[in-house]
Amino acid sequence: MYYLSKSDLLHIGINWEEMIEKIKETVYTLKDGDFAQPIKPYLRYRDVTNRIIAMPAFVGGKVSFSGIKWIASFPDNIRRNIPRANSVTILNDADTGVPACIINTSHVSAVRTAAVTGLVVKEYLQRNRQEKLTVGIIGFGPIGQQHLDMISTLLGSRLHQVNIYDLKQPDRSLIPAALQEKVNIVDTWEEAFEQADILMTCTVSKKPYINKVPKKGSLQLNISLRDYVPEFINYANHIVVDDWEEVCRENTDIEVMHKTKGLTKSGTLSLVDIICGDKLQNAAEEVVMFNPMGMAVFDIATAAYFYEKAKAAGVGTVLAD
Ligand SMILES: NC(=O)c1ccc[n+]([C@@H]2O[C@H](COP(=O)([O-])OP(=O)(O)OC[C@H]3O[C@@H](n4cnc5c(N)ncnc54)[C@H](O)[C@@H]3O)[C@@H](O)[C@H]2O)c1
């Protein structure tokens, strides 16, 4: 059995185009019904702001692996200089169930999250022909940082400016040298939000605060899921979710919109609808809001991708049975 550490994964590096293609391939396995993914249980005890989530899945198609991610979120960790989120993923051979690889996935988890966002951004770029695009990022922890890396790669020369807001003044050294001139650290969430063609929430906010009209034609990427007031439903022409049954719980903005504004599954689009269908084709002037709960199938596909890369590069440790 293989073991891949964080340094093994950093050695392999990130190829965003390949990662996003892997996520796209996985969306097609969802469309084909060639997957299994039970609703993920949340383990909570003592301080219920903490949680450990079990995320099992099988992904068919070219991925053909099953496995589980076991991911802990302890928000106060960052005060002790420990990352909020920590996880391991076990990959099992799809035919025999034999564990093939254990991966320290704290870094991979953030990469998978940004790659799912990246797939939606690519869809947006197909219908938005604006030459220059402004990006807003609210919350600049590991998830915000991976999103900056992904979006700057995807947009390339079309990236005009990035406005980042965090409750704690972000450390400028976390911003790559090549982006320093394009990145502004701003003092309010409104400054990140108002000009944004593409807005990403990457906070750990417990209550919503985004209560303004978004820029026309903007893409609102609600990664942290608890940032938009329910009235935002009036500004979003299309609400996209990764999985309605998953995301409509745990006090997400979608659940609150469901309970207070009557949003139902049929009032939303899924990733399959927008990636495998053309449900957003005529949405150039419209506001699209994406709400991903995080799907285990993407974790397994991402883990399998890094496992194959590691074997090809001779990276990783082989553990005795
Ligand atoms: N949807 C998904 O698939 C998915 C996957 C992974 C993580 N996430 C979510 O992404 C979020 C960020 O993860 P992380 O690991 O970077 O967390 P983190 O705690 O390490 O960092 C969060 C950052 O946001 C800042 N922040 C908190 N509240 C804020 C607010 N109201 N306004 C501005 N900044 C604020 C904090 O100061 C911190 O720098 C979490 O909510 C996590 O649950 C979602």
Side-chain angles (χ1 to χ4, degrees):
M1 183 171 27
Y2 256 69
Y3 174 69
L4 299 180
S5 66
K6 183 175 175 185
S7 63
D8 293 332
L9 297 156
L10 291 175
H11 178 82
I12 294 167
I14 305 169
N15 179 325
W16 287 113
E17 287 293 341
E18 279 182 19
M19 275 303 319
I20 292 169
E21 202 45 45
K22 189 54 67 183
I23 299 293
K24 186 172 183 180
E25 209 177 289
T26 308
V27 173
Y28 274 86
T29 67
L30 297 178
K31 173 178 169 280
D32 295 341
D34 192 13
F35 76 104
Q37 181 181 253
I39 290 278
K40 49 197 192 192
Y42 282 57
L43 175 66
R44 288 202 171 90
Y45 51 90
R46 296 184 183 151
D47 178 353
V48 295
T49 55
N50 302 327
R51 62 183 189 223
I52 313 183
I53 312 175
M55 301 179 68
F58 160 71
V59 186
K62 283 193 241 158
V63 176
S64 196
F65 264 105
S66 57
I68 186 166
K69 182 170 80 168
W70 178 234
I71 179 160
S73 167
F74 283 60
D76 279 347
N77 275 4
I78 53 174
R79 290 203 205 131
R80 288 182 268 167
N81 266 337
I82 303 171
R84 175 195 63 82
N86 291 281
S87 68
V88 288
T89 298
I90 301 172
L91 282 178
N92 297 76
D93 183 285
D95 297 323
T96 62
V98 174
C101 185
I102 299 177
I103 309 178
N104 177 336
T105 33
S106 302
H107 165 70
V108 172
S109 243
V111 172
R112 153 306 223 156
T113 304
V116 173
T117 308
L119 180 60
V120 176
V121 169
K122 278 190 106 170
E123 181 60 35
Y124 171 78
L125 293 178
Q126 279 182 19
R127 63 188 170 83
N128 186 311
R129 299 281 167 207
Q130 245 173 282
E131 207 174 300
K132 295 283 176 191
L133 293 158
T134 296
V135 172
I137 300 178
I138 308 181
F140 200 58
I143 295 291
Q145 290 158 35
Q146 284 301 336
H147 276 77
L148 176 63
D149 192 49
M150 177 278 293
I151 199 80
S152 57
T153 306
L154 278 199
L155 295 188
S157 59
R158 285 179 76 184
L159 179 63
H160 169 57
Q161 187 173 296
V162 185
N163 295 314
I164 299 177
Y165 170 65
D166 194 295
L167 287 179
K168 285 185 311 182
Q169 180 78 354
D171 177 355
R172 268 212 95 97
S173 69
L174 293 171
I175 294 155
L179 291 176
Q180 287 283 349
E181 280 189 3
K182 291 190 173 180
V183 172
N184 298 320
I185 305 290
V186 296
D187 296 328
T188 61
W189 70 262
E190 287 91 338
E191 289 165 87
F193 173 81
E194 275 161 5
Q195 298 305 316
D197 298 295
I198 301 174
L199 191 276
M200 302 162 174
T201 66
C202 305
T203 72
V204 285
S205 181
K206 290 195 187 88
K207 60 175 198 274
Y209 53 90
I210 298 181
N211 57 2
K212 300 221 151 125
V213 182
K215 189 168 177 185
K216 195 171 158 191
S218 64
L219 179 61
Q220 304 287 321
L221 298 157
N222 189 13
I223 316 303
S224 39
L225 294 165
R226 294 167 191 88
D227 298 67
Y228 290 83
V229 299
E231 291 70 26
F232 198 84
I233 196 172
N234 300 320
Y235 308 138
N237 301 91
H238 303 277
I239 296 186
V240 182
V241 297
D242 54 356
D243 182 319
W244 172 264
E245 277 72 29
E246 282 283 6
V247 78
C248 189
R249 64 193 186 115
E250 294 288 332
N251 198 35
T252 62
D253 296 335
I254 291 297
E255 189 188 31
V256 180
M257 285 179 183
H258 171 62
K259 286 184 170 163
T260 65
K261 302 287 169 193
L263 179 69
T264 57
K265 184 175 182 175
S266 62
T268 62
L269 296 171
S270 69
L271 270 179
V272 171
D273 289 332
I274 68 162
I275 302 301
C276 312
D278 57 359
K279 292 275 173 66
L280 289 180
Q281 204 183 25
N282 301 315
E285 298 283 284
E286 297 177 333
V287 173
V288 175
M289 182 192 196
F290 176 52
N291 303 269
M293 190 66 155
M295 293 175 81
V297 286
F298 297 135
D299 291 303
I300 298 309
T302 306
Y305 166 84
F306 278 106
Y307 172 48
E308 300 298 348
K309 283 254 165 194
K311 279 195 300 184
V315 170
T317 307
V318 179
L319 302 177
D321 283 344

